[in-house]
Amino acid sequence: MKITILTMFPQSFSSLMTFPVIKRAVDRDLLTLEIKDIKDYAGGSFRHIDDSPCGGGGGMILRLDTLMKALSSSLSPSSHTVLLSPKGKVYDQRKAREYSTLSDLVLVSGHYEGVDRRFEDHVDEMISIGDYILTGGEIPAMVIVDSISRLLKGTIREGATEDESHEKGLLEYPQYTKPVDWNGEKVPEILLSGNHGAIDEWRETQALLDTKRLRPDLFEKHVLTERERMLLEKSGGLSS
């Protein structure tokens, strides 16, 4: 898979290749990562990257001509293009899974007051990582690269991501390690029982209960299976 990031601040990504999972994906030839400086595509001796908004107003707007040159230089027949913008749909694990199946992804990092509205018509979609405002799209681009890299087959151990939070619309079950007893705070006995069937049932139940308690918004959207409904009824979680 190839991911190209268009940015005005390529130096922001200098540490990205040191992230263990991303580095492993690159070292194993599962991922090619290219960072392109939008300023390299600006015209004129003053490298016109942005300009004041038509009609007046504060801030500076990234120019359409410059952005289009940068985007055009990055396209292949299989490219899927994404503008990182607060206008976009909120990124989630389902979208990460979708992106991980692509062969060529181009991420465009906006900055300043935004981008020329006409540019939005030249990308496949717009994505936001949350309902808040950042200085630019660089951090969202890093989030997306990290979330995709770990899903590429061969990057991490097979099956390691299957039970993680948000993979099935639920939070992950609680995890424990040694010491088994720390100042009276003990690991649940079931996890020390060696009964793997009972442990699996406990974990499924806790994932449901934690989601209901901590993220009721996710729980309300989740369609319970017959098994999940049975586990909740058994635990008393449906009545609480």
Side-chain angles (χ1 to χ4, degrees):
M1 179 185 191
K2 179 181 181 182
I3 301 179
T4 303
I5 301 173
L6 305 183
T7 174
M8 290 180 58
F9 301 96
Q11 66 274 17
S12 301
F13 298 91
S14 59
S15 64
L16 194 61
M17 287 291 294
T18 67
F19 293 5
V21 171
I22 296 174
K23 186 177 186 303
R24 190 179 308 136
V26 171
D27 289 346
R28 294 179 179 178
D29 295 324
L30 304 172
L31 174 66
T32 299
L33 193 58
E34 183 175 8
I35 312 299
K36 286 192 171 185
D37 191 342
I38 295 173
K39 296 189 293 294
D40 291 342
Y41 300 89
S45 57
F46 292 100
R47 302 221 290 182
H48 295 138
I49 305 158
D50 59 342
D51 216 323
S52 55
C54 294
M60 300 293 280
I61 308 297
L62 294 181
R63 291 173 58 111
L64 177 62
D65 51 356
T66 301
L67 285 169
M68 286 306 302
K69 287 178 184 177
L71 182 64
S72 297
S73 75
S74 308
L75 298 180
S76 74
S78 58
S79 293
H80 183 79
T81 55
V82 177
L83 173 63
L84 298 165
S85 166
K87 296 181 184 179
K89 292 181 179 179
V90 176
Y91 190 67
D92 59 16
Q93 189 64 16
R94 182 176 299 177
K95 183 61 73 171
R97 282 278 178 194
E98 178 187 322
Y99 284 173
S100 72
T101 67
L102 300 174
S103 60
D104 189 343
L105 179 64
V106 180
L107 303 175
V108 183
S109 301
H111 213 80
Y112 298 138
E113 190 64 21
V115 305
D116 188 297
R117 164 63 184 82
R118 293 167 291 180
F119 183 71
E120 296 173 7
D121 298 327
H122 295 275
V123 295
D124 293 311
E125 63 179 325
M126 294 188 288
I127 287 291
S128 166
I129 63 166
D131 295 331
Y132 45 86
I133 303 299
L134 299 172
T135 305
E138 285 72 25
I139 291 174
M142 293 182 199
V143 168
I144 291 174
V145 171
D146 185 75
S147 66
I148 293 173
S149 298
R150 61 198 315 282
L151 296 175
L152 298 177
K153 189 173 182 180
T155 301
I156 60 179
R157 180 173 54 82
E158 185 115 14
T161 66
E162 291 178 2
D163 291 326
E164 292 180 321
S165 293
H166 305 294
E167 278 293 345
K168 299 175 181 176
L170 299 169
L171 300 182
E172 186 180 11
Y173 51 78
Q175 298 273 26
Y176 297 86
T177 187
K178 296 179 178 62
V180 170
D181 186 338
W182 186 78
N183 295 338
E185 298 180 35
K186 299 180 180 180
V187 172
E189 288 291 335
I190 186 67
L191 298 178
L192 309 175
S193 68
N195 185 335
H196 295 294
I199 291 172
D200 288 344
E201 182 175 306
W202 181 88
R203 285 174 167 169
E204 289 180 63
T205 302
Q206 295 306 309
L208 289 162
L209 293 173
D210 275 4
T211 304
K212 186 178 182 183
R213 177 172 62 91
L214 300 172
R215 289 293 305 273
D217 56 318
L218 289 179
F219 187 81
E220 287 174 10
K221 291 188 289 185
H222 182 70
V223 180
L224 292 172
T225 66
E226 285 301 316
R227 175 177 172 80
E228 288 172 341
R229 185 172 295 277
M230 177 271 293
L231 291 173
L232 280 175
E233 287 177 348
K234 185 177 179 179
S235 70
L238 278 182
S239 59
S240 59

